Amino acid sequence: MLFKNVFRTLKKQKVQLILLGLIITLSSFIFTSMNYGIGGILTPTKQYFEEANQEDFSISMMDYLLEDDVLYMQEQCILSTEVYTLSSLRNIDKPCYDKMIAFRLDTILKEYPNINIELREHKDLFYNVDGTSHKVRFLKETSNINTSYFVEGVAPSNGAEIAVSEIYAKLNNLVIGDTIDFNGKNYQISGYVLFPDYSLVILSSDLIFDNRAQTLALVSDDEFEALNATVGVEIAGDLFNMSKSDFESIVLDNYRDNTNLPFITNIVLTENNMRSGAIYGEIEGGQAMSLGISIMIASIAILIVRIMVSKVLHSQRGPIGILKSMGYKNSEITVPYIFFIMIMSFPMLVFGYFLGYIAAEPFKNMYLLIYLLPSTAIEQTVTTFITAVIVPFTFIVVVSYFIIKKILSQKPVELLNPQVSASANWLTKIVGKYLKKLKITSKLQHLLLYRNIVKFFVFLIGMFYAAFLILLSFSMIGVFDRMIVDYYENTNHNYIGYCDYVSSCTPLEGTQEGVIELPSVIMNDEEIYLVGLSPDSVIHPIYDKRGRVITSELEDGIIITKSLSLVKGFGVGDDVIIGVGDQEISFKIVAIAEEYSGEKAYINITTLSQTLTNTDNYYNTVYSETALNEVDFFIVVSTIDIVKQTQSMQQMINIAVGLLIVVSIVIGAVIIYILTVLTIEDNFYNISLFKVMGYNNKEIDKMILGGYLVYGISIFLITMPLAYFTFEYLQVFFAQYYNVLMPFEFKLWHGAMALVIYVVLFYAGAFSAKRHLNNISLQEAMKMYQV
Amino acid sequence: MGIKLENVTKIYTTGEVETYAVKNINLQVDNGQFIVLLGPSGSGKSTLLNVVSGLDNPTSGMIQIDDDLVSAMDSKQLTKFRRDNLGFIFQQYNLLQTLSVKENVEVGREVSTNPFTVEEVLSQVGLTPQTDKYPYQLSGGEQQRVSIARAVVKNPKIMFCDEPTGALDEETAKEVLGVLQKLNQTYQTTVVLITHNPSIGAMADRIIKLNSGEVIEDIINKNKVDAKEISWG
Ligand SMILES: Nc1ncnc2c1ncn2[C@@H]1O[C@H](COP(=O)(O)OP(=O)(O)OP(=O)(O)O)[C@@H](O)[C@H]1O
Ligand SMILES: [Mg+2]
């Protein structure tokens, strides 16, 4: 019979139950889809990194030949021309280059004998394929560290074969055996390859991972030598006889001060290396986040269960008191509630689990659009099922059990005589004092809220949750556009021409501007991308946060990008030392540019030119609004293409972010709606009583709804600055710990919109709750009230 | 043997103030009797009833019902004891709104080991035609009779009734009292009934008057009348 009672009572709360079901479903859905999606990559990836012996760290070194190098070179080689860089040496005299490299590697090993190192060479080439520019990074097979890994097919056996990434082939409708035409040179695809030092293809300072227009490629050694491009070198390392912590203390903390190793610009552990290690943070972060999100959602669900159950129990406290006086045991009263909570939540969790299982595959593929990693078909595991279904299920049931138990632990007399428990609490007493002078109706507005402290706090916390969630969703709108597209759209340099290293740059024409781009410069021990720009630059204006042009501030010091500021923690007013070539110049950071275009610093071009060449007008790169002649340059890059590619590639990401936004807003909205309905229904008896006493609807609305609305709006207003500071903090946190930029944005309209959503939902909830109340005649209402 | 109270005291402490709701009461009640507890508001009637029936603990004193020492029981034992022996009726009907009349009575029946049938009890309280109605479709007197049926169906040894007619008019009140009287006679159920109304004493075997937590009068009523014949004060 008690089952029937609980069932019929709950049936009256259909809407809330459906929304509750939605939330419970979401919690297991999000966890399952992310867990399986990531898991489908994680397991094979671990094996892949093992088999292909992923580097533990990577060493960048200067292309410039330093004093020691030159001495050694003069000793070892006979050169006809003067050479300043390793890359040009390689073109002129390969055997000498090999000696120089061996010399540097030996120098490193002499200092740190417990590691293994190997040279990692690459050549970048740009091709025009069907009108778009494709970038290809050619890699040479290595012997020990970072060996190639074949997802399918085999390594190229001759100069006419090539192995590319699977996603590149897929996105360009190519399969193994097909021929690729790279500017007239035909290669036959022999297989799909992965390289463990590249889980992201990072070919330039901007973070564009468009795998349709860029790929890593493996060719035979002879073919690699034949490629007409400057070689890029890096040293891959293996912690062969050394622990990671030893490496950190012995190598990482000291190499910069080691005078025997002046040619090393940077040593990065793989996990801190965007190109190879981003996946670690991403995957771990992703898994932690999915768990975090679903725990958060599950706790919201519990919060709602708590409110609903206690509401039901309180409305029946009289009958429950009678049941207890008749000798019903607490467990007998509890069981039906727990039973219904169980049969409601279990199917929902299972449903969410299966939806998540289905969504895992597309989710995984989204990852694989960006990351170059192996994947396997998604298989269900017991652990995931348990975490997605059994754990939250147990959690919900156990928490509900304790909530009910707590309510039932009161003595039957207390349940039967409301004055005992519904008496004034400390809060109503305190507030009552301050409200003494108000009219009784205004006073009631507040006192009705404080009547039940727990419920009041649940209301406030729930509203805070909802407000925060909604604001967070808004702040994510356009996150990725802000990261890349905005930068190029705000500037006018549609074409970038990189001049040849050897010959000097072509003279400037029309509105073209010459700039100096130095991709790897050390600023206070951090590697940055330095750009020498004119303070009067028209083609590349720099904007601050408020959208003002601040290019002219280059007269007073350097301007750094928001990315650099976030990731490396530099701020306005900092004095920094920049090492250019073998000189060190000190500057003050005068401004931060609202740009997420990479870890860049802008510097007055005249100063930089003076430092490098003792002249005023050196430049190595040309920014142009109109197309540049390719023959005049080493490479010409079209930013228009970049924007186009980014936009198409980021469509998927935008859809994902959009989904996340919608989900968060839905959850926020559900919370607001349910809390409103429940709190208003809570005042069921009061509303009827006031009606009986002759108050009209308007007055009652003011008394009952007014209070909640005022507090709800206040919470929203308080949440806004809090959310703002939290987002700022999150940005810094993500940047510094995960090297991930999250340009959250908080705009006034977000706040206004959130408030509108709140007020609309509040009235919707209030309206539906009141309609339900109005359907019951007054005399029935008075009879129904049980205490 | 019945109910036996020795030096039962209940003190409520609110802040600094101590209220002696029940003060040092000694009483003995035989089985099968119809007892009426009379007294002005605040005299301690409800408190005494709650303490005797194990809904609340006395501050001191001994309470024994038949062979069970109620005052020494923990809450688990009290639950079991009430389940097997007691029925309650209050001024508020406390019916489960989602359940029909019949279902509400079944709630009382389920805890019992030797219950009456629902039909029998409903016909005793005169509610057979209302069997499938819901509480909000009943009058106050009918609702109170449902709550009586719910208390009686388990076949309790003792029925505790706190102002069962407090919210009813004279006619309806007499009907309800008649039901209680009939149950007392038919099933030999001990009835302890609280009321403000001295005239109800006329139908009791014994009238106990309270004031300020103390028994001030204890009368055996030799001329018990039928509930219908009470001359309402
Ligand atoms: N929970 C409580 N806390 C403090 N004092 C209480 C409590 N319950 C009752 N009292 C006090 O104990 C005394 C007896 O109360 P009780 O409810 O037993 O009276 P009553 O005779 O049933 O009155 P009425 O006829 O109005 O129902 C009163 O003075 C009352 O104020
Ligand atoms: Mg009383």
Side-chain angles (χ1 to χ4, degrees), chain A residues 1-2 4-6 8-9 12 316-330 332 411-413 416-417 780 783-787, chain B residues 50 55-57 79 82-83 86 88 90 92-100 103 106-108 110-111 134-139 143 150-151 154:
Chain A
M1 223 28 74
L2 293 186
K4 240 187 226 168
N5 173 44
V6 175
R8 289 184 195 160
T9 312
K12 285 195 199 144
Q316 300 196 339
R317 50 183 301 136
I320 288 173
I322 280 284
L323 291 176
K324 286 190 76 174
S325 71
M326 286 193 302
Y328 270 90
K329 294 184 207 131
N330 281 347
E332 284 168 313
K411 284 194 204 134
V413 246
L416 287 164
N417 299 323
E780 272 173 26
K783 265 196 231 165
M784 266 168 112
Y785 192 68
Q786 293 293 337
V787 281
Chain B
N50 289 342
L55 291 181
D56 207 348
N57 314 100
T79 301
R82 289 199 303 267
R83 188 183 181 109
L86 309 184
F88 287 90
F90 296 93
Q92 297 86 13
Y93 321 125
N94 287 319
L95 301 177
L96 288 159
Q97 296 297 320
T98 58
L99 300 183
S100 67
E103 289 166 341
E106 269 173 33
V107 170
E110 273 171 14
V111 282
Y134 283 85
Y136 65 89
Q137 297 168 318
L138 301 177
S139 74
Q143 290 197 45
R150 181 178 60 186
K154 68 194 274 193

Side-chain angles (χ1 to χ4, degrees), chain A residues 123-141:
Chain A
K123 287 181 175 178
D124 289 347
L125 283 163
F126 291 73
Y127 297 107
N128 196 314
V129 180
D130 301 331
T132 48
S133 153
H134 284 214
K135 300 178 229 170
V136 182
R137 174 162 288 190
F138 289 91
L139 293 159
K140 221 171 127 174
E141 185 60 278

Side-chain angles (χ1 to χ4, degrees), chain A residues 403-618:
Chain A
I403 292 168
I404 298 172
K405 203 177 142 132
K406 170 130 194 305
I407 296 174
L408 291 182
S409 67
Q410 295 174 23
K411 284 194 204 134
V413 246
E414 287 167 353
L415 290 165
L416 287 164
N417 299 323
Q419 72 266 24
V420 176
S421 58
S423 60
N425 57 49
W426 55 270
L427 197 57
T428 45
K429 278 183 197 152
I430 294 173
V431 178
K433 261 187 213 154
Y434 287 99
L435 299 174
K436 241 179 202 156
K437 292 199 193 79
L438 291 175
K439 263 198 339 195
I440 182 68
T441 46
S442 318
K443 206 163 145 183
L444 265 175
Q445 231 185 42
H446 300 274
L447 290 184
L448 282 177
L449 284 166
Y450 300 137
R451 209 172 23 165
N452 185 324
I453 299 177
V454 176
K455 261 188 213 165
F456 182 55
F457 278 115
V458 166
F459 176 80
L460 293 185
I461 290 168
M463 288 303 159
F464 175 77
Y465 239 27
F468 197 85
L469 220 51
I470 292 175
L471 289 174
L472 180 69
S473 329
F474 280 138
S475 78
M476 287 192 298
I477 294 174
V479 156
F480 285 93
D481 284 349
R482 276 201 286 290
M483 272 175 78
I484 294 155
V485 180
D486 282 5
Y487 166 65
Y488 289 110
E489 291 193 335
N490 287 335
T491 55
N492 309 313
H493 66 312
N494 299 331
Y495 297 89
I496 304 173
Y498 294 98
C499 308
D500 223 301
Y501 285 105
V502 199
S503 51
S504 63
C505 248
T506 51
L508 302 170
E509 296 165 17
T511 57
Q512 291 175 358
E513 284 180 24
V515 300
I516 305 174
E517 289 202 3
L518 300 178
S520 170
V521 164
I522 301 298
M523 177 166 110
N524 279 15
D525 286 357
E526 304 285 358
E527 190 179 7
I528 62 153
Y529 196 107
L530 189 67
V531 179
L533 187 73
S534 161
D536 311 317
S537 176
V538 178
I539 205 158
H540 187 296
I542 302 173
Y543 297 90
D544 73 358
K545 204 172 181 174
R546 286 191 216 128
R548 292 179 307 197
V549 177
I550 51 168
T551 327
S552 62
E553 293 188 27
L554 286 175
E555 302 271 14
D556 311 319
I558 62 168
I559 298 177
I560 60 171
T561 57
K562 185 85 193 225
S563 325
L564 180 56
S565 148
L566 285 173
V567 174
K568 304 287 196 232
F570 292 115
V572 173
D574 288 359
D575 288 308
V576 292
I577 294 172
I578 298 179
V580 184
D582 41 15
Q583 297 198 47
E584 290 194 331
I585 10 174
S586 81
F587 288 98
K588 192 179 259 330
I589 297 176
V590 290
I592 292 175
E594 189 67 6
E595 263 180 41
Y596 296 89
S597 57
E599 291 157 30
K600 271 198 222 172
Y602 294 102
I603 186 172
N604 190 335
I605 188 167
T606 321
T607 318
L608 190 56
S609 169
Q610 277 288 352
T611 317
L612 290 171
T613 62
N614 287 324
T615 64
D616 277 347
N617 38 26
Y618 170 74

Side-chain angles (χ1 to χ4, degrees), chain B residues 17-32:
Chain B
V17 189
E18 285 196 344
T19 313
Y20 277 78
V22 166
K23 213 184 284 176
N24 208 22
I25 289 190
N26 291 288
L27 259 183
Q28 185 143 2
V29 174
D30 295 335
N31 278 337

